[in-house]
Amino acid sequence: MRPFTTLAAVAAPMDAVNVDTDQIIPARFLKYPRSGGYGGFLFHDLRFGDDGSERPDFVLNQEPFRAAQILVANTNFACGSSREGAVYALADFGIRAVVAPSFGDIFHANCLKNGLLPIRLPAATVAALRAALHAAPGGRIAIDLAQRQLTAPGGSSHDFEIDPHWQRMLLEGLDELGLTLTQLAEIEAFEAGYRAARPWRATLMPGP
Amino acid sequence: MTTPRTMFDKIWDAHVVQARADGTALLYVDRHMAHEGSHHAFRDLAARGLGVRRPRQNFATADHYVPTTGRRAADAASPEIAGMIETFDRNMAVTGITAFPLGDPRQGIVHVIGPELGITLPGLVIACGDSHTSTHGAFGAFAFGIGQSEMTHVLATQTLWQTRPKTMRISVTGRLAAGVSAKDVILAIIARVGAGGAVEHVIEYAGATIRAQGLEARLTICNMSIEAGARAGMIAPDDAVYTYLEGRDFAPRGALFAQAVAAWRHLPSDPGAAFDREVALDVAGLAPMVTWGTSPEDGVAITERVPDPDTLAGADERESARRALDYMGLVPGTPLEGLAIDRVFIGSCTNARLSDLRAAAAVLRGSRARVPVLVVPGSTAVKRQAEAEGLDRVFIAAGCDWREAGCSMCVGMNGDLVAAGERCVSTSNRNFPGRQGKGARTHLASPAMAAAAAVTGRLTDVRRLLGGA
Ligand code: SF4
């Protein structure tokens, strides 16, 4: 996984509440392999008209937001489906961090597995960030993951929280599965105790 | 005395393989379920040169992409979609997972067949690469949706790293009126809590009304927990669950089953157990619900009018509601009842079990549908049972299209789509823009309400047809 340490980049505001993963990537694109360039599917039906032309009113079709690497969204961003394609699409488009008051739980987890940083901040702080980006498009947001700090275009800084486990994974670009595979002995010991304590669960386990 | 624990606490604590000081835990996954949409995970697994560590604890079915007009990959709407089904069959053949492919009598929507086959059991941690995995919590399991990277992790290790969620108890009391069902209850709950109201929480549904619900109604309620943002939904198991599970294909048998039931009886939350949040809802006066907008939280009584965005609190909420009404082609103040519709979909993991089909058939019996109606059973087993009691003949006589089991028009991945601009009354769980097809306008409702809309061609208070209101 690509490490995430610091980032200073153009941020795009997205004001709608409850933006669901069906908006981020419509279902019909999920059959394609990841190598298929998921960035082109991002917000597809909001970004493009029926004839495939760009909708000029959509934020990511406007300068300077085309170059955004940070998305500043609203409450319950990426709710709905578990489709990891939503993260593939954002990442492939070039988005490296999303800031919102709250996220769909599964999307939040999916981000962390793909090197995309989800940052939760209070709703008023996020609203002020969006307002600043609307007022002065092209404003850059700086993120320092080690310090857990976000600096707004105007210079004000905001501390955010992130579970230390995921913070380390992102900072070092660690492969979570690779790490867990080094702990198989511990998993096997757990399974043995678990099976002994609940014999009926033997039916869940491989036969002897 | 030990501290009273919630059912969630008990299940979580029993599955911690490793607890980190920072609160994250490596959690053991008893059973994992997959579907044809899970192809990225199998590709990742193969690319890493890994196999499935515990094949007997993994199950898979074909549901999202399958045709509902036939039972062969060749019946699929396009060669690309047929390819998804063939990829699934290939993946299953090499991994040794127990699979229920297209044409198997046990095939169906993953959240319908889990309980049917006894894969879903109380006290288990169940994961599946689908957000509506919350459904399985209706039997007293901790069941949640995961992404494909997490799936790869489960396939290779039978574990997951998880942050412990908070708990929320929703207590529902009051007797449901005739024509009002579990779907109306959960739509009312989501309207109250909000689409993001339960984010980072596990919901336990409790109270006399929940206890009085049949198992299929409980599944409907837990199914839509994710539409309130919850990681999972759960309901304490009881004798109805145990009786249902005994003898099912993948449930324990004989003496082991008796041992299991004895253990399951300790699962319900202890008296005095503390929840991080408590919500109470009285449903005595609840009317049938229908959604007007593009979020599952947009549910109101069928007797109400399309709301005016100007009356909402925040500017972003007003703007979101305006956009939703524009998408839905609705004008504030319009009465919902009487709104002309173009089609009806009765199906999905929310409402395509036998009791749902019975409720719809009861309304349709002896009538003709005024609009196209697609009836898609949740599983091949449900289809067989429905046909055994003649429900298929009721639907066909009413002019409905009676199909084979799958997700179908809930998400349209198999090509069963609602056309742009069409207004569809659907028993599924999401009214997101484009969910049932690009430009499709979805009104979520119960099976009885969907059937009522079919009979009149308009949004209709089903109580009228039942001789009630
Ligand atoms: S029926 Fe709909 S919600 Fe349920 S699993 Fe299938 S696509 Fe998902």
Side-chain angles (χ1 to χ4, degrees):
Chain A
M1 192 169 79
R2 179 178 175 188
F4 189 112
T5 50
T6 59
L7 174 71
V10 170
M14 190 166 275
D15 298 325
V17 296
N18 298 326
V19 171
D20 58 78
T21 49
D22 278 77
Q23 306 314 296
I24 301 177
I25 182 167
R28 62 186 185 277
F29 298 117
L30 298 173
K31 47 181 163 323
Y32 299 114
R34 196 172 176 178
S35 54
Y38 268 57
F41 309 147
L42 179 68
F43 291 114
H44 188 278
D45 295 348
L46 295 170
R47 253 167 90 197
F48 304 106
D50 290 335
D51 60 355
S53 63
E54 287 188 357
R55 293 178 193 269
D57 56 337
F58 188 70
V59 63
L60 295 179
N61 289 335
Q62 298 162 1
E63 295 297 351
F65 301 123
R66 285 175 185 281
Q69 287 181 270
I70 299 170
L71 202 58
V72 183
N74 208 331
T75 307
N76 201 25
F77 181 74
C79 57
S81 160
S82 63
R83 57 186 69 169
E84 199 161 307
V87 175
Y88 304 161
L90 284 162
D92 192 50
F93 181 85
I95 301 291
R96 302 209 55 215
V98 186
V99 184
S102 57
F103 294 94
D105 272 356
I106 311 175
F107 173 82
H108 189 266
N110 289 341
C111 281
L112 297 167
K113 309 297 156 88
N114 287 277
L116 196 84
L117 177 62
I119 298 179
R120 293 190 189 105
L121 284 174
T125 308
V126 182
L129 283 174
R130 288 196 311 269
L133 296 170
H134 282 299
R140 293 165 84 81
I141 286 180
I143 297 165
D144 185 334
L145 179 55
Q147 299 302 320
R148 303 181 196 185
Q149 201 169 64
L150 178 148
T151 306
S156 64
S157 65
H158 307 272
D159 294 335
F160 60 87
E161 287 181 19
I162 179 170
D163 188 301
H165 172 75
W166 308 121
Q167 183 190 23
R168 176 169 157 253
M169 289 283 160
L170 287 168
L171 278 173
E172 299 178 27
L174 295 175
D175 169 26
E176 186 184 52
L177 174 53
L179 284 180
T180 310
L181 285 172
T182 65
Q183 297 175 305
L184 282 183
E186 193 178 346
I187 296 171
E188 262 157 39
F190 172 88
E191 283 173 329
Y194 184 85
R195 198 184 327 196
R198 303 169 185 79
W200 60 272
R201 294 206 194 184
T203 56
L204 304 181
M205 304 291 173
Chain B
M1 244 196 75
T2 51
T3 320
R5 290 189 300 165
T6 66
M7 176 163 58
F8 166 75
D9 293 331
K10 294 178 193 182
I11 298 175
W12 176 277
D13 293 348
H15 289 82
V16 174
V17 176
Q18 188 192 100
R20 299 176 57 97
D22 58 32
T24 321
L26 186 63
L27 211 61
Y28 194 67
V29 177
D30 293 295
R31 285 180 166 177
H32 169 245
M33 301 182 76
H35 55 78
E36 343 81 293
S38 315
H39 58 104
H40 296 285
F42 288 100
R43 186 185 297 251
D44 277 5
L45 200 69
R48 285 169 172 267
L50 294 169
V52 179
R53 181 165 170 271
R54 294 282 185 226
R56 279 184 53 196
Q57 289 168 248
N58 289 268
F59 301 84
T61 185
D63 55 8
H64 281 67
Y65 289 92
V66 298
T68 51
T69 49
R71 296 283 85 176
R72 297 164 308 146
D75 297 318
S78 75
E80 261 182 337
I81 295 174
M84 294 300 294
I85 298 163
E86 287 155 1
T87 303
F88 173 76
D89 291 345
R90 267 200 312 278
N91 283 335
M92 292 308 109
V94 299
T95 51
I97 289 177
T98 305
F100 315 113
L102 195 56
D104 191 297
R106 297 165 299 178
Q107 175 272 345
I109 305 174
V110 63
H111 312 308
V112 176
I113 67 164
E116 268 176 7
L117 295 172
I119 295 168
T120 309
L121 300 173
L124 300 191
V125 169
I126 299 172
C128 170
D130 189 280
S131 58
H132 291 95
T133 307
S134 57
T135 312
H136 308 258
F139 282 15
F142 173 40
F144 51 95
I146 56 177
Q148 308 241 345
S149 297
E150 290 181 305
M151 282 190 63
T152 310
H153 196 279
V154 176
L155 290 167
T157 69
Q158 210 58 38
T159 63
L160 271 176
W161 286 101
Q162 289 282 298
T163 305
R164 189 177 185 128
K166 296 190 270 274
T167 53
M168 174 190 286
R169 178 163 56 190
I170 300 185
S171 303
V172 186
T173 51
R175 204 188 163 87
L176 291 180
V180 183
S181 68
K183 181 62 160 288
D184 304 302
V185 172
I186 189 62
L187 284 172
I189 287 173
I190 299 163
R192 158 80 81 85
V193 174
V199 161
E200 294 165 52
H201 286 75
V202 166
I203 299 174
E204 180 176 336
Y205 301 95
T209 312
I210 300 293
R211 297 252 59 87
Q213 298 295 309
L215 297 186
E216 298 189 357
R218 297 182 200 177
L219 290 161
T220 298
I221 289 173
C222 285
N223 173 272
M224 288 189 73
S225 304
I226 181 74
E227 309 315 335
R231 179 93 57 92
M234 53 197 347
I235 294 174
D238 56 15
D239 285 338
V241 173
Y242 313 144
T243 306
Y244 176 91
L245 286 173
E246 188 161 15
R248 303 247 160 203
D249 284 13
F250 298 95
R253 298 185 175 255
L256 287 176
F257 186 77
Q259 271 185 325
V261 171
W264 294 340
R265 291 195 189 284
H266 294 288
L267 280 173
S269 296
D270 299 327
F275 291 79
D276 296 302
R277 270 180 71 192
E278 295 267 8
V279 174
L281 192 75
D282 182 354
V283 293
L286 190 69
M289 301 282 288
V290 65
T291 59
W292 54 265
T294 55
S295 166
E297 72 180 16
D298 298 335
V300 293
I302 180 66
T303 50
E304 291 190 29
R305 290 165 185 271
V306 175
D308 185 347
D310 290 344
T311 61
L312 294 176
D316 297 329
E317 283 72 12
R318 284 195 291 274
E319 186 48 35
S320 296
R322 258 181 230 119
R323 216 170 304 138
L325 287 183
D326 183 46
Y327 180 85
M328 293 296 291
L330 292 174
V331 177
T334 312
L336 283 161
E337 183 158 28
L339 195 67
I341 61 153
D342 301 298
R343 67 171 62 243
V344 168
F345 172 59
I346 298 172
S348 91
C349 58
T350 311
N351 281 126
R353 297 181 185 81
L354 195 59
S355 58
D356 300 313
L357 300 183
R358 282 180 185 152
V363 176
L364 279 159
R365 196 181 300 272
S367 300
R368 284 293 293 181
R370 298 258 184 114
V371 293
V373 181
L374 196 60
V375 188
V376 182
S379 71
T380 301
V382 167
K383 178 165 193 269
R384 246 191 353 254
Q385 292 160 358
E387 289 174 348
E389 55 185 76
L391 300 182
D392 58 324
R393 291 194 294 280
V394 176
F395 290 124
I396 292 166
C400 308
D401 207 345
W402 172 248
R403 295 279 184 91
E404 301 282 349
C407 294
S408 182
M409 203 176 271
C410 170
V411 70
M413 285 179 173
N414 73 337
D416 292 343
L417 291 163
V418 176
E422 274 190 354
R423 194 177 294 290
C424 177
V425 177
S426 177
T427 66
S428 55
N429 41 54
R430 287 185 174 147
N431 49 357
F432 298 155
R435 171 77 180 182
Q436 297 191 287
K438 201 171 168 182
R441 294 165 170 165
T442 304
H443 293 275
L444 301 176
S446 72
M449 283 289 286
V455 168
T456 62
R458 296 172 178 279
L459 287 184
T460 300
D461 188 336
V462 65
R463 295 174 298 180
R464 249 179 241 294
L465 304 190
L466 298 173

